[in-house]
């Protein structure tokens, strides 16, 4: 009897192994290569993720580019200017809650001339310039943790204490219009934070000898020498890792290699191109079957979250340096989000003025992206000295309406040094 039970158990085990082997062989058939079995299993045994839900809360501070900050103090001699302040830096984190409260309590908008803003900047307060470019106010509000839908593209904003201790919020649009809002913030909430920033002799260009520069350029020196960087393709940059990260079938036979070494993978209606130099591009001619390319809605905030999820997948899948949001361009039928690299808040640019990552969204779907895969690490040798700030300001002032900032340029040599940029 015991022998019969043992024989039955062995037969059952053999049948199980044969069944598993047959299923494995089936998955290797070319006609089944493009089926994402993990997604199919999730639809049966997990929650429905067809809408790409859950992104609304996935907007971390690290998603956003660094900013330039001026703490105005009580006089022009009490100013503190900081360049390339990262979104996670303690200095900026002490200021952002004030802007969040001001935006949340903002009253009706009033257009004012520059003279009014400059007079307000003579008192205590903060001027914050978006170093990445121009962003819709809805994007900035999402960064601050507010839910605002003002129709304005923002390049800078200021928070100032005026007469009777009233605090005003100024928003400077990308077209140059300046809007002022009364807020519920008391001056007693702003002044103590201003006092935490020691003066460093910073000034705006409009109040200096370099008035030929863009008026609100912050004239100050970087905080100490900026280290050199090394640029290279990350070790994880491979077709297999990218296909896996981007929710393609890593073993697909629907692929070919072009004469320059670019590998092209086609999973209708999607096409992915992977170049040897780190350039990756994606296009879709219709809806994608993967939740990775779908937003939970067609609003700007949902599309931002979906784009950030894709950017994070690229970073994690290859071991590349993270990117951060530089600008958002809303078009009639699409939204284009541009990302850049930066090191400790200092932006990294390419000579062709292109982006690290550009994502195009349409009708709640990511329909295209282009990506330059890079990893940046600190160089071991001593950093090269930059021009003194005063000399850089004088040179830049010879080019009217220039702005002055610091950054790195990735020219393809693999070595980057910090420099003044205009």
């Amino acid at each position: 009897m015991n022998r019969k039970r043992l024989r039955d158990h062995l037969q059952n085990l053999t049948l199980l192994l044969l069944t598993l082997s047959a299923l494995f062989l089936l998955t290797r058939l070319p006609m089944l290569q493009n089926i994402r079995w993990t997604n199919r299993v999730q639809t049966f045994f997990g929650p429905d993720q067809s809408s790409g839900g859950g992104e609304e809360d996935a907007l971390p501070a690290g998603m956003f580019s660094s900013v330039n900050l001026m703490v105005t103090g009580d006089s022009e001699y009490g100013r503190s200017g900081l360049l390339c302040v990262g979104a996670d830096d303690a200095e900026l984190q002490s200021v952002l809650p004030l802007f969040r409260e001001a935006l949340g309590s903002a009253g009706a908008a009033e257009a004012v001339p520059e003279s009014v803003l400059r007079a307000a900047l003579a008192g205590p307060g903060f001027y914050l310039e978006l170093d990445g470019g121009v962003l819709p106010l809805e994007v900035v509000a999402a960064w601050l943790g507010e839910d605002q839908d003002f129709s304005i593209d923002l390049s800078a904003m200021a928070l100032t204490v005026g007469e009777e201790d009233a605090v005003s919020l100024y928003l400077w649009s990308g077209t140059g219009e300046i809007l002022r809002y009364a807020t519920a913030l008391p001056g007693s909430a702003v002044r103590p934070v201003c006092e935490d920033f020691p003066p460093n002799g910073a000034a705006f260009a409009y109040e200096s000898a370099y008035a030929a520069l863009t008026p609100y350029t912050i004239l100050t020196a970087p905080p100490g020498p900026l280290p050199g960087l090394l640029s290279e393709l990350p070790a994880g940059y491979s077709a297999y890792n990218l296909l896996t990260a981007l929710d393609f079938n890593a073993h697909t036979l629907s692929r070919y290699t072009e004469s320059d070494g670019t590998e092209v993978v086609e999973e209708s209606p999607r096409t992915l191109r992977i170049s040897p130099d780190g350039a990756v591009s994606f296009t879709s001619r219709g809806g994608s079957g993967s939740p990775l390319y779908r937003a939970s809605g067609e609003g700007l905030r949902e599309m931002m979250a979906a784009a950030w999820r894709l950017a994070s997948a690229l970073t994690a899948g290859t071991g590349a340096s993270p990117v951060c949001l530089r600008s958002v361009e809303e078009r009639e039928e699409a939204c284009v989000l541009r990302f850049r690299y930066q090191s400790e808040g200092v932006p990294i640019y390419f000579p062709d003025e292109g982006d690290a990552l550009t994502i195009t969204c349409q009708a709640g779907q990511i329909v295209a992206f282009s990506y330059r895969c890079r990893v940046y690490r600190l160089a071991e040798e001593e950093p090269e000295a930059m021009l003194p700030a005063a000399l850089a300001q004088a040179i830049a002032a010879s080019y009217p309406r220039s702005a002055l900032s610091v950054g790195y340029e990735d020219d393809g040599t693999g070595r980057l040094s910090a420099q003044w940029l205009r």
Side-chain angles (χ1 to χ4, degrees):
M1 190 70 176
N2 290 336
R3 290 183 178 179
K4 184 178 180 180
R5 286 182 179 177
L6 178 60
R7 185 173 63 251
D8 292 342
H9 287 316
L10 289 175
Q11 288 177 344
N12 292 336
L13 179 60
T14 301
L15 288 172
L16 177 62
L17 292 175
L18 288 172
T19 301
L20 292 174
S21 177
L23 288 173
F24 174 76
L25 292 174
L26 280 172
T27 63
R28 310 305 295 170
L29 291 175
M31 69 176 61
L32 299 178
Q33 283 289 291
N34 289 336
I35 297 179
R36 304 295 295 179
W37 293 101
T38 54
N39 289 346
R40 298 297 181 267
V41 172
Q42 287 175 357
T43 60
F44 285 108
F45 299 103
D48 179 19
Q49 297 185 12
S50 60
S51 65
E55 304 99 342
E56 292 84 0
D57 298 326
L59 298 177
M63 175 180 179
F64 297 91
S65 297
S66 59
V67 300
N68 297 324
L69 176 67
M70 176 75 92
V71 185
T72 56
D74 285 310
S75 71
E76 60 180 311
Y77 304 106
R79 303 196 170 188
S80 178
L82 301 174
L83 301 178
C84 304
V85 186
D88 293 319
D89 288 2
E91 294 92 344
L92 188 58
Q93 287 302 313
S94 69
V95 173
L96 291 185
L98 297 173
F99 277 100
R100 179 169 58 248
E101 292 182 36
L103 190 60
S105 65
E110 174 191 9
V112 297
E114 284 193 57
S115 58
V116 172
L117 172 61
R118 294 183 183 183
L121 290 174
F126 304 97
Y127 172 85
L128 191 152
E129 178 186 39
L130 303 179
D131 191 25
V134 176
L135 290 172
L137 181 57
E138 182 180 352
V139 175
V140 178
W143 172 39
L144 295 174
E146 278 293 322
D147 187 14
Q148 297 282 358
D149 190 18
F150 296 169
S151 297
I152 175 176
D153 288 332
L154 193 69
S155 62
M157 53 186 178
L159 199 62
T160 65
V161 180
E163 296 178 359
E164 299 181 359
D165 228 27
V167 176
S168 297
L169 173 67
Y170 292 85
L171 302 181
W172 188 12
S173 75
T175 60
E177 183 182 25
I178 300 173
L179 300 177
R180 181 174 63 182
Y181 302 81
T183 77
L185 267 179
S188 58
V190 176
R191 292 180 188 274
V193 182
C194 291
E195 294 169 359
D196 289 337
F197 290 80
N200 62 3
F204 289 112
Y206 71 80
E207 58 190 0
S208 73
Y210 307 115
L213 293 170
T214 302
Y216 297 93
T217 296
I218 297 175
L219 304 180
T220 188
L226 298 175
L229 299 178
L230 299 178
S231 170
E232 59 190 5
L233 283 177
Y237 181 76
S238 67
Y240 179 87
N241 287 348
L242 281 164
L243 289 169
T244 302
L246 295 172
D247 210 10
F248 277 70
N249 179 9
H251 303 287
T252 181
L253 300 180
S254 302
R255 61 205 295 178
Y256 60 91
T257 302
E258 297 180 334
S259 58
D260 63 355
T262 299
E263 188 160 2
V264 182
V265 179
E266 294 185 343
E267 286 187 1
S268 182
R270 309 182 298 172
T271 301
L272 184 69
R273 302 173 62 87
I274 305 170
S275 300
D277 63 356
V280 182
S281 65
F282 165 89
T283 56
S284 176
R285 298 179 300 279
S288 170
S290 169
L292 180 63
Y293 302 90
R294 289 197 296 272
S296 60
E298 298 186 18
L300 181 55
R301 186 184 179 96
E302 290 84 1
M303 289 189 289
M304 286 169 52
W308 180 245
R309 188 178 55 193
L310 175 64
S312 300
L314 287 166
T315 298
T318 61
S321 294
V323 295
C324 51
L325 184 66
R326 182 180 72 83
S327 68
V328 176
E329 179 185 352
E330 294 184 274
R331 302 173 180 172
E332 287 187 5
E333 298 182 353
C335 177
V336 180
L337 298 96
R338 304 183 188 278
F339 295 78
R340 75 181 186 195
Y341 290 113
Q342 60 185 37
S343 176
E344 298 298 325
V346 181
I348 299 171
Y349 299 100
F350 295 98
D352 62 1
E353 300 183 357
D355 304 299
L357 174 63
T358 303
I359 298 176
T360 302
C361 299
Q362 190 173 19
Q365 298 268 351
I366 294 175
V367 296
F369 76 77
S370 60
Y371 177 53
R372 303 190 205 205
C373 189
R374 299 284 191 278
V375 63
Y376 297 95
R377 55 188 177 88
L378 298 180
E380 295 182 356
E381 60 267 19
E382 290 293 322
E384 297 182 13
M386 295 176 59
L387 284 176
L391 180 57
Q393 293 163 10
I395 294 173
S398 63
Y399 299 88
R401 304 298 295 181
S402 292
L404 187 64
S405 62
V406 295
Y408 296 95
E409 184 177 83
D410 187 348
D411 59 3
T413 63
R415 308 186 73 84
L416 289 70
S417 297
Q419 53 189 292
W420 290 100
L421 302 172
R422 61 172 180 83

